[in-house]
Amino acid sequence: KYSPNFKDKLIQIELEIDKSKVPYFEIKNFLPSQKIIDRKENGNMLISYIVTQEIEIEELIKKWIPHIKIIKPNSLEEKIKYDLQYWLNK
């Protein structure tokens, strides 16, 4: 939903990408705000996104399951888990 002051309510998303999929995230920005935060010793990569609504990134996350882990926010992780449980129990 559009909000007139959306820039005051931006949401930072942090994801951990499995090392086997890191090359895809290195060569392509899936959203304009994509930034590499860190590379872990195990080869995984931490990425951040800035969005106005969590829904903007939900489909991206679902496409990369199980190679992606939501670090924050917890509300997004809970939403994805709920959606998956709903789909599996349908």
Side-chain angles (χ1 to χ4, degrees):
K1 298 177 184 176
Y2 176 74
S3 167
N5 299 322
F6 71 92
K7 288 189 177 182
D8 296 335
K9 302 172 187 170
L10 295 175
I11 303 165
Q12 182 173 355
I13 309 293
E14 290 186 15
L15 306 173
E16 183 173 342
I17 311 302
D18 184 85
K19 65 183 174 191
S20 66
K21 302 303 176 192
V22 163
Y24 297 102
F25 287 82
E26 289 176 320
I27 62 172
K28 179 175 178 152
N29 284 343
F30 290 95
L31 291 176
S33 64
Q34 179 174 313
K35 288 193 171 96
I36 297 172
I37 299 173
D38 194 15
R39 294 175 192 272
K40 299 179 92 176
E41 288 183 23
N42 65 1
N44 289 357
M45 185 166 62
L46 297 176
I47 292 183
S48 75
Y49 295 94
I50 303 293
V51 296
T52 56
Q53 302 175 61
E54 290 179 354
I55 196 168
E56 293 174 39
I57 198 158
E58 287 177 14
E59 291 304 315
L60 173 67
I61 292 169
K62 290 174 184 175
K63 287 178 186 178
W64 290 95
I65 290 173
H67 307 287
I68 200 165
K69 178 182 177 185
I70 301 167
I71 304 299
K72 73 178 195 181
N74 191 45
S75 58
L76 179 58
E77 180 180 15
E78 294 302 316
K79 170 75 169 82
I80 298 293
K81 284 180 182 178
Y82 175 83
D83 289 350
L84 292 175
Q85 277 300 95
Y86 177 79
W87 182 77
L88 289 171
N89 293 324
K90 203 170 180 184

